[in-house]
Amino acid sequence: MAPVIPPVIHQTWKSREIPSEFQALQRSWIEHNPGFAYRFWTDDDIERFVEAEHPALLPVFHGYADPIARVDLARYLILRRFGGVYADLDFECLRPITGLLDGRSFVVGLEPEEHDGLAKAVERGLSRILCPSFLASVPGHPFWDHLLNRLVEARHCADLLDATGPFLLTRAHASYEAAHPGGTEAAAAVTVLPPNQLYPVTKDDCWSGRLFDLVFWEQATRDAYAIHYWEGTWFRSDAERTPRLPDRVTAVVSDGSAAPTAGSAATAGDTGDHPPLISCLMVTKGGDGGRADMLALAIGSFARQSWPNKELVIVCDAAARDGDGPEDPLDAVIRIAGRADIRLVRVDGPGRTLGELRNIAVDSAKGRYVCQWDDDDLYDPMRLEVQHMVLARTNARACLLGRWMIWWPGRQKLAVSCERYWEGSLLCEKAAMPRYPHLRRGEDTPLVDRLRQTVRLVRLDMPRLYTYIVHGANTFAAEHFEEHWQIATCRFTGDRYETVLREMAKRLPIDAVRRQATAMSRPGPASHPLPPSDRTGQAPTAPAMSTGALRTAKVLVLTPVKNARSHLPRYMELLDRLDHDPGCLSLGFLESDSVDGTHPWLAERLPALRGRYRRVTLLRQDYGFHPEGPRWLPAVQRARREILARSRNRLLQAALADEDWVLWLDADLIHYPPDFLGRLLAAGRDIVTPHCVLPNGTTFDLNSFALEPGGERPEHLIDGLFQPPRGIGRRYLDSFPERDAVPLDGVGGTALLVRADLHREGLCFPPYSHRGYIETEGLAAMAKDMGITCWGLPAVKIVHADH
């Protein structure tokens, strides 16, 4: 029976005082291999062992001027005598190594192929390099005697690589194999492993900081049992081995409303002797409802930041507790932190929007820069340092991450997000900050859009700096994050999930978050569930309200009009036929740039309309827009739809009162059934649109669409707006004849029903390009940012005039 490699792990160091940076690596071998014995050797242990077991080699052992050569010799002698596994201290075990050892008598690994091209290897004519940082063998393997003979012959070599290190090992193996041209018996064979199993990264990968990129790290280690970090303690100084910023950082700069410039690479560097103050701004509801521990973690992330000049401004809209009761959880968390650079600002009176609270935080900041710092996420210790460095190197005024980590602790899922401007990662000069709109959620999206139009802004691709935690009590609902899971650039589950989390745990309190995410997912006073609304992401169900209740819902019908005089009689006729209670309907019109008498026609009928309907508003606003040629030409789309968006927003602001719903209705519809509004309401969704067709039955509304899996194509971006040819990358409502309801990525305004509260919270029609969309399509994109799904009803058909 062939001998087996004994289950024992050997490691060495100068003394038993192991440097802190190696202690976790040392534990990895013990934790992943619980059935193995562990034996640690100091320099004194090694010397006693050589004296006792190999006195004839003492002259060689003591003849080495460099201590590392004595360690090299010792590892060979230890494995020759005892067998087992030897691993350098700068080696990390990633999974159990039994799969590497089974059925083998001697195991060694190849260095990365890139090392073969280094100067010393090329000078020596080596086409590959065997590395002695990991070795495994049975006791007394014949290769050891062959190697020791070569080592004695090379003892006077000036370069340690030739005397005891990898070059000696490589040459010895070559001559050993040459001496056995027909192959060796299994007990005497030497197994050489490819680099991806033990040495998946190069020296340059480690020394340049490239391993900070989690995507690169995960891809490099997929097949690896262990990873060697090439610390080189025997020839690199402590300063050289200090953890460092990556040498090169990918960043894309845009300047105001101009098109983005080509990607640039910012180089890490010093920040000067007097770094500016950065104010980290945290808005919170306080520590109730199980949030206190998450608050403590966010504060801990602030405390661990490498940036030296910083403050944390915490804005809370929950009143402090009375002095006689238990201590307020938020006060307790701040007290325990014990930091003079944390300030708490309490805001009197509940009910303020998140946008209002963020503005208060900005106003309270003392720093030259402000940084959004959410109370339930994690931040790498170098977040502030890296983002400020990129600002300085690119001469930008604001910095955002293009990707970040998204972690679902309860579902054991981890992802690197899609590429976009992640609002929550904002670091910006305070002087350049616009005001946040007074929204309860999605408040930072329009602010970032404004920054992108007005200042030099840099988007940085370094996801590891920010970990967004999905714990069940987030502002957005579950389907919002499920969508991000589906479009993530990298997804980690199963073994890879745990492996990547262990890597993240070297810099973040991962285990603490695992514990607290469970508490966060339970309903509590601080969970702030969303009101009953469209948050399921599923197909519409039967309405909870009765038909009578639907017909008495308060609905505001809004219609921007231009040169609509010929269509208005039919418009009024269809409106009168609705089976909805007219006493619950309000009307609003904004007329602009008409030359056909539209405004006088409406003004003349105001008394009659106000006698039938609940309220009627008529506005007039001329924009001076009179384009030549058809209105659907791509060249005029941005200007035309910008004016239409401004008209809709102005009309909404003037007309909306206490209504439950807003129905946006085109003036040139020629047919819809009397129960049309009731069927939209019965869908039970926040935003819903019917299927608008031409008289011949073909789909008219091409702004209502679902994107194909590949999404939009960059070549279809015209004047800042996606304008693909009909059907390219988009599916319209006629593509879903068997479906009752379809989730949409864009909506049109021929007939669009919107829950009024969404408009009150700031959902509007962007008069600018919002992610490549404007006006109604921009509203759909903004709704998605707010966690709202837009729906289309293919079977509910309305007819548009063919003109």
Side-chain angles (χ1 to χ4, degrees):
M1 182 175 180
V4 297
I5 297 176
V8 58
I9 295 169
H10 303 274
Q11 290 193 296
T12 69
W13 188 247
K14 303 169 188 176
S15 67
R16 299 202 175 272
E17 300 298 321
I18 300 175
S20 58
E21 65 265 28
F22 297 141
Q23 291 174 10
L25 305 184
Q26 178 194 37
R27 289 194 299 271
S28 71
W29 293 95
I30 299 169
E31 292 169 356
H32 283 296
N33 303 284
F36 282 61
Y38 182 83
R39 187 164 182 183
F40 185 78
W41 300 76
T42 65
D43 285 357
D44 290 342
D45 295 331
I46 287 171
E47 184 155 4
R48 287 192 293 269
F49 166 71
V50 175
E51 288 175 350
E53 298 281 342
H54 299 278
L57 287 176
L58 279 175
V60 176
F61 180 80
H62 288 301
Y64 292 124
D66 198 309
I68 191 62
R70 293 192 283 274
V71 174
D72 286 343
L73 173 56
R75 76 183 73 187
Y76 305 147
L77 296 177
I78 288 169
L79 290 181
R80 178 181 181 276
R81 169 68 174 82
F82 299 105
V85 175
Y86 171 85
D88 279 351
L89 271 185
D90 59 348
F91 233 123
E92 179 181 12
C93 186
L94 300 177
R95 52 184 167 135
I97 59 174
T98 52
L100 284 180
L101 310 182
D102 289 346
R104 293 165 173 169
S105 59
F106 193 108
V107 177
V108 63
L110 285 174
E111 292 192 17
E113 293 181 2
E114 292 85 346
H115 290 187
D116 303 342
L118 298 178
K120 288 188 176 183
V122 173
E123 290 169 3
R124 289 158 177 79
L126 298 176
S127 60
R128 65 176 190 169
I129 304 172
L130 275 64
C131 187
S133 295
F134 176 98
L135 298 165
S137 83
V138 298
H141 192 284
F143 177 69
W144 290 125
D145 287 337
H146 181 84
L147 175 68
L148 290 173
N149 289 334
R150 304 286 82 74
L151 183 143
V152 171
E153 293 171 359
R155 65 186 182 277
H156 297 303
C157 289
D159 195 320
L160 293 176
L161 300 176
D162 296 306
T164 60
F167 295 166
L168 169 80
L169 180 64
T170 301
R171 293 192 185 100
H173 176 260
S175 59
Y176 181 78
E177 294 290 306
H180 303 82
T184 58
E185 296 293 331
V190 173
T191 300
V192 180
L193 299 176
N196 65 325
Q197 294 191 329
L198 289 173
Y199 303 97
V201 297
T202 68
K203 297 174 183 177
D204 185 66
D205 292 334
C206 298
W207 300 349
S208 69
R210 190 180 182 191
L211 290 187
F212 192 76
D213 181 348
L214 270 178
V215 175
F216 171 78
W217 185 94
E218 190 275 333
Q219 292 173 346
T221 60
R222 285 179 183 175
D223 299 322
Y225 286 81
I227 180 171
H228 189 226
Y229 291 112
W230 307 102
E231 286 290 333
T233 55
W234 59 280
F235 69 93
R236 298 176 71 220
S237 67
D238 290 343
E240 290 176 312
R241 295 188 299 106
T242 300
R244 57 183 298 174
L245 295 173
D247 277 351
R248 296 182 67 82
V249 178
T250 301
V252 176
V253 179
S254 60
D255 204 342
S257 59
T261 60
S264 60
T267 304
D270 296 332
T271 57
D273 296 332
H274 302 288
L277 176 65
I278 297 178
S279 297
C280 301
L281 309 181
M282 178 191 295
V283 173
T284 182
K285 295 291 184 181
D288 288 325
R291 297 184 71 93
D293 291 315
M294 291 299 290
L295 280 166
L297 292 173
I299 291 174
S301 287
F302 166 79
R304 286 189 295 273
Q305 289 297 302
S306 58
W307 187 259
N309 194 15
K310 57 185 179 290
E311 67 167 355
L312 179 63
V313 179
I314 302 175
V315 174
C316 179
D317 67 348
R321 293 184 178 178
D322 295 335
D324 296 336
E327 185 178 14
D328 181 280
L330 177 57
D331 291 334
V333 168
I334 295 173
R335 175 181 54 79
I336 293 170
R339 298 183 62 90
D341 51 7
I342 297 178
R343 291 189 288 120
L344 174 61
V345 179
R346 287 196 180 271
V347 179
D348 292 335
R352 293 180 186 259
T353 66
L354 186 52
E356 289 178 283
L357 296 174
R358 291 207 188 279
N359 285 330
I360 292 171
V362 173
D363 294 340
S364 302
K366 297 179 180 178
R368 176 181 171 186
Y369 296 91
V370 294
C371 178
Q372 190 163 318
W373 203 266
D374 285 347
D375 64 353
D376 52 358
D377 295 329
L378 291 180
Y379 311 95
D380 187 87
M382 290 199 298
R383 178 195 168 185
L384 296 181
E385 184 175 350
V386 173
Q387 286 196 260
H388 180 270
M389 177 270 292
V390 172
L391 277 183
R393 294 288 179 174
T394 59
N395 197 31
R397 304 191 71 185
C399 176
L400 293 157
L401 296 182
R403 294 187 296 169
W404 62 14
M405 307 300 299
I406 307 179
W407 180 23
W408 292 256
R411 298 188 179 184
Q412 297 187 333
K413 298 196 302 185
L414 179 71
V416 181
S417 74
C418 65
E419 294 186 23
R420 62 185 293 269
Y421 286 85
W422 287 101
E423 299 91 342
S425 65
L426 177 64
L427 175 70
C428 182
E429 287 185 22
K430 181 179 177 180
M433 280 286 287
R435 305 300 286 176
Y436 285 93
H438 290 182
L439 304 180
R440 297 194 181 280
R441 58 185 179 274
E443 78 297 334
D444 41 11
T445 299
L447 178 135
V448 169
D449 286 336
R450 182 63 177 164
L451 281 173
R452 292 175 63 187
Q453 296 173 32
T454 57
V455 304
R456 186 173 174 85
L457 181 146
V458 58
R459 187 183 70 208
L460 165 67
D461 186 38
M462 195 176 287
R464 191 168 183 165
L465 294 180
Y466 194 122
T467 301
Y468 188 103
I469 301 172
V470 184
H471 45 62
N474 306 87
T475 302
F476 295 113
E479 68 273 10
H480 172 80
F481 300 107
E482 179 59 29
E483 179 178 340
H484 277 294
W485 170 257
Q486 295 299 331
I487 62 176
T489 54
C490 289
R491 296 189 288 268
F492 310 119
T493 58
D495 292 341
R496 300 313 294 163
Y497 167 81
E498 292 295 340
T499 299
V500 177
L501 276 183
R502 281 195 299 271
E503 174 65 15
M504 293 172 63
K506 296 174 183 176
R507 305 176 64 84
L508 299 174
I510 295 298
D511 289 339
V513 175
R514 287 183 196 261
R515 293 190 297 268
Q516 298 311 323
T518 300
M520 287 290 295
S521 65
R522 301 189 187 106
S527 296
H528 302 293
L530 296 170
S533 184
D534 175 19
R535 302 293 190 273
T536 66
Q538 304 300 318
T541 57
M545 295 182 291
S546 66
T547 303
L550 290 172
R551 290 174 177 170
T552 57
K554 289 181 289 186
V555 180
L556 173 63
V557 182
L558 296 180
T559 303
V561 289
K562 176 181 178 180
N563 292 329
R565 166 66 180 81
S566 62
H567 299 289
L568 287 173
R570 181 59 174 169
Y571 174 92
M572 296 299 178
E573 180 183 351
L574 291 172
L575 207 60
D576 287 345
R577 291 181 182 180
L578 282 177
D579 61 6
H580 203 89
D581 181 357
C584 297
L585 291 178
S586 301
L587 308 184
F589 304 91
L590 186 145
E591 183 276 325
S592 66
D593 296 316
S594 296
V595 295
D596 67 345
T598 294
H599 187 270
W601 193 95
L602 285 170
E604 182 181 345
R605 283 154 182 80
L606 277 181
L609 292 173
R610 285 170 175 160
R612 174 173 174 77
Y613 296 104
R614 187 167 177 256
R615 287 188 309 105
V616 182
T617 303
L618 175 59
L619 302 178
R620 188 173 191 179
Q621 175 68 56
D622 285 341
Y623 296 96
F625 183 67
H626 301 283
E628 296 182 0
R631 65 179 184 177
W632 56 82
L633 290 177
V636 301
Q637 289 308 295
R638 180 153 188 164
R640 183 183 74 84
R641 298 192 70 184
E642 176 185 341
I643 290 173
L644 185 52
R646 290 164 60 189
S647 297
R648 292 189 189 277
N649 293 334
R650 184 158 187 259
L651 178 57
L652 177 69
Q653 184 180 23
L656 181 60
D658 61 345
E659 287 81 13
D660 304 307
W661 297 90
V662 176
L663 175 63
W664 295 93
L665 202 61
D666 268 6
D668 43 2
L669 293 172
I670 60 175
H671 176 73
Y672 51 78
D675 66 349
F676 150 71
L677 176 55
R679 294 174 72 180
L680 295 184
L681 290 167
R685 296 294 162 181
D686 278 342
I687 303 174
V688 65
T689 188
H691 185 187
C692 185
V693 300
L694 291 171
N696 64 7
T698 60
T699 295
F700 170 80
D701 184 6
L702 303 187
N703 294 326
S704 294
F705 59 83
L707 289 174
E708 297 282 7
E712 303 282 21
R713 300 180 185 178
E715 62 265 28
H716 297 152
L717 196 64
I718 302 172
D719 200 17
L721 303 178
F722 286 112
Q723 301 184 57
R726 179 170 183 150
I728 301 299
R730 299 180 177 185
R731 300 181 69 190
Y732 310 112
L733 288 178
D734 57 0
S735 300
F736 309 95
E738 306 301 324
R739 299 275 292 276
D740 291 330
V742 179
L744 299 177
D745 296 289
V747 293
T750 56
L752 180 67
L753 185 70
V754 180
R755 187 185 291 271
D757 277 348
L758 294 181
H759 281 316
R760 294 188 181 99
E761 291 173 2
L763 180 64
C764 65
F765 299 87
Y768 47 82
S769 176
H770 179 78
R771 310 196 191 292
Y773 302 106
I774 197 170
E775 202 235 334
T776 55
E777 292 168 295
L779 175 138
M782 185 176 290
K784 185 179 294 187
D785 292 338
M786 297 170 68
I788 308 298
T789 301
C790 298
W791 291 88
L793 307 182
V796 181
K797 293 186 178 180
I798 62 174
V799 184
H800 195 279
D802 188 0
H803 58 76

